[in-house]
């Protein structure tokens, strides 16, 4: 038996025990996934308070729904779908009546992309993110500026490392939509980081939007 | 990015950077990039953007939040 099959068997056994209400099995599931769910929620909601509420709701819903889990998808995919829905519900409550995009919003499926404004090249070192608190905060703010439908795709694909197929399953959208939204999110983040780098270069305005007309 | 070529290229950049573009498309893109410094800058900084975000660290669930989660779920909090 391959290691992969072995893991699948372990997971099935764990789920079966959890479905019988075995506290240790439930605890193992929560322990394995709480960090991912919390980080996704933190970036979707933008503050620790709402992220914590989302974390609790995700696992409360999951434990309630677990007896009906049929194993058609991986447990993580199933859980992350619950987490994604909990994030969107939390965002709706935050917006309290404001217009919200939904995940099946066709607008984001346009395959035209806004033309770039910044053509400045900038250099980064591999450990810049770890060392530079300001850069990290600019990067986090940039994520927060993405429309929700793009943000949640970007978080699962580029931050949590899910595949295109897994992200599509988690969000209940097509793989094509995942690719288009991911690309659109990355282009927007590139603009925001380029803006930051252009502005942070003392006295330099080269490469900014004014040069884009060239 | 005023030229139509640049617009077409823009749509393909993620698949190009991830090595998912066909060899023909790659050749076409590289031919374009060789003569278009603006698109070259976009490709370079898009690649850097993706790499930067791949290294963005995650947070641990804060201790208090973790304690409250396990209490709400009626489970015994395991040691960290």
């Amino acid at each position: 038996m391959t290691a992969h099959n072995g893991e699948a068997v372990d997971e099935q056994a764990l789920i079966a025990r959890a479905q019988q209400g075995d506290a240790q099995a439930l605890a193992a599931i929560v322990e394995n996934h709480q960090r991912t769910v919390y980080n996704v929620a933190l970036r979707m909601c933008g503050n620790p308070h709402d992220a914590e509420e989302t974390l609790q709701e995700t696992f409360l819903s999951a434990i309630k729904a677990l007896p009906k889990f049929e194993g058609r998808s991986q447990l993580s995919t199933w859980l992350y779908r619950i987490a994604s829905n909990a994030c969107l519900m939390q965002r709706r409550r935050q917006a309290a009546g404001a217009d919200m995009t939904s995940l099946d919003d066709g607008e984001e499926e346009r395959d035209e992309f806004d033309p770039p404004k910044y053509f400045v090249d900038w250099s980064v070192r591999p450990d810049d993110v770890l060392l530079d608190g300001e850069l990290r905060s600019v990067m986090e703010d940039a994520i927060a500026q993405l429309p929700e439908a793009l943000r949640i795709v970007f978080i699962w694909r580029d931050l949590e490392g899910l595949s295109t197929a897994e992200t599509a399953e988690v969000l209940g959208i097509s793989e094509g939509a995942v690719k288009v939204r991911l690309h659109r999110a990355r282009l927007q983040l590139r603009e925001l980081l380029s803006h930051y780098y252009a502005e942070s270069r003392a006295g330099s305005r080269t490469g900014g939007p004014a040069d884009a007309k060239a | 990015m005023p030229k139509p070529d640049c617009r077409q290229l823009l749509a393909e950049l993620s698949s190009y950077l991830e090595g998912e573009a066909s060899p023909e498309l790659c050749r076409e893109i590289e031919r374009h990039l060789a003569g278009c410094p603006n698109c070259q800058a976009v490709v370079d900084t898009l690649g850097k953007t993706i790499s930067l975000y791949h290294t963005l660290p995650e947070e641990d669930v804060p201790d208090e939040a973790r304690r409250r989660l396990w209490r709400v779920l009626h489970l015994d909090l395991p040691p960290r």
Side-chain angles (χ1 to χ4, degrees):
Chain A
M1 184 181 284
T2 63
H4 184 76
N5 281 341
E7 281 169 23
V9 170
D10 288 350
E11 183 171 283
Q12 275 173 18
L14 185 69
I15 294 164
R17 282 169 48 212
Q19 285 178 321
Q20 303 298 316
D22 179 316
Q24 266 190 333
L26 287 170
I29 291 172
V30 177
E31 192 71 351
N32 288 344
H33 298 285
Q34 58 178 354
R35 194 167 189 264
T36 300
V37 172
Y38 180 74
N39 277 275
V40 170
L42 190 58
R43 287 184 171 129
M44 275 309 287
C45 302
N47 69 79
H49 177 266
D50 290 348
E52 182 181 342
E53 269 191 26
T54 307
L55 176 71
Q56 292 183 3
E57 270 172 43
T58 298
F59 284 108
L60 281 169
S61 305
I63 289 173
K64 200 169 152 199
L66 196 59
K68 286 180 271 171
F69 175 71
E70 291 173 350
R72 286 204 196 102
S73 49
Q74 281 189 22
L75 180 68
S76 58
T77 309
W78 178 80
L79 254 179
Y80 296 163
R81 187 187 266 250
I82 294 172
S84 300
N85 287 333
C87 284
L88 294 173
M89 292 301 290
Q90 183 68 35
R91 295 282 300 145
R92 277 189 194 113
R93 278 196 293 273
Q94 270 178 347
D99 282 345
M100 301 296 292
T101 48
S102 75
L103 276 186
D104 49 13
D105 185 351
E107 200 274 333
E108 298 300 344
E109 246 70 271
R110 297 178 293 128
D111 54 6
E112 279 217 358
F113 297 91
D114 295 332
K117 297 189 191 74
Y118 286 90
F119 300 103
V120 60
D121 200 355
W122 31 270
S123 61
V124 286
R125 289 178 308 250
D127 52 0
D128 271 1
V129 180
L130 296 176
L131 301 176
D132 186 341
E134 184 182 296
L135 174 62
R136 261 165 75 172
S137 130
V138 168
M139 288 169 68
E140 296 284 2
D141 286 350
I143 298 174
Q145 288 183 51
L146 292 174
E148 271 177 30
L150 306 190
R151 197 188 323 157
I152 198 152
V153 169
F154 176 77
I155 290 171
W156 284 121
R157 274 289 280 116
D158 273 1
L159 300 184
E160 298 302 331
L162 262 55
S163 68
T164 301
E166 286 168 328
T167 306
E169 200 181 338
V170 163
L171 299 178
I173 59 176
S174 70
E175 290 189 29
V178 170
K179 287 183 180 178
V180 170
R181 290 177 196 191
L182 177 66
H183 188 45
R184 182 162 284 132
R186 287 167 166 178
L187 287 171
Q188 287 193 27
L189 295 171
R190 190 207 73 90
E191 286 294 317
L192 292 163
L193 290 191
S194 296
H195 173 76
Y196 165 71
Y197 278 107
E199 291 292 311
S200 67
R201 284 180 182 180
S204 167
R205 289 291 176 270
T206 52
D211 293 332
K213 296 184 193 88
Chain B
M1 271 208 176
K3 291 183 282 183
D5 279 5
C6 300
R7 275 192 174 278
Q8 283 163 9
L9 179 117
L10 190 64
E12 306 294 345
L13 290 186
S14 273
S15 42
Y16 172 69
L17 286 170
E18 286 181 358
E20 287 178 356
S22 68
E24 292 144 72
L25 183 59
C26 285
R27 273 195 297 277
E28 210 177 297
I29 290 173
E30 277 152 19
R31 212 170 19 244
H32 178 93
L33 291 179
C36 185
N38 276 356
C39 282
Q40 185 65 61
V42 172
V43 171
D44 289 345
T45 49
L46 186 63
K48 286 169 188 169
T49 301
I50 297 167
S51 306
L52 272 180
Y53 275 104
H54 281 165
T55 60
L56 194 62
E58 298 221 306
E59 288 189 23
D60 283 331
V61 182
D63 284 340
E64 275 304 310
R66 191 164 167 267
R67 253 193 291 280
R68 285 190 288 264
L69 170 67
W70 290 76
R71 197 163 54 229
V72 165
L73 300 178
H74 305 293
L75 292 170
D76 291 331
L77 183 74
R80 196 155 222 172

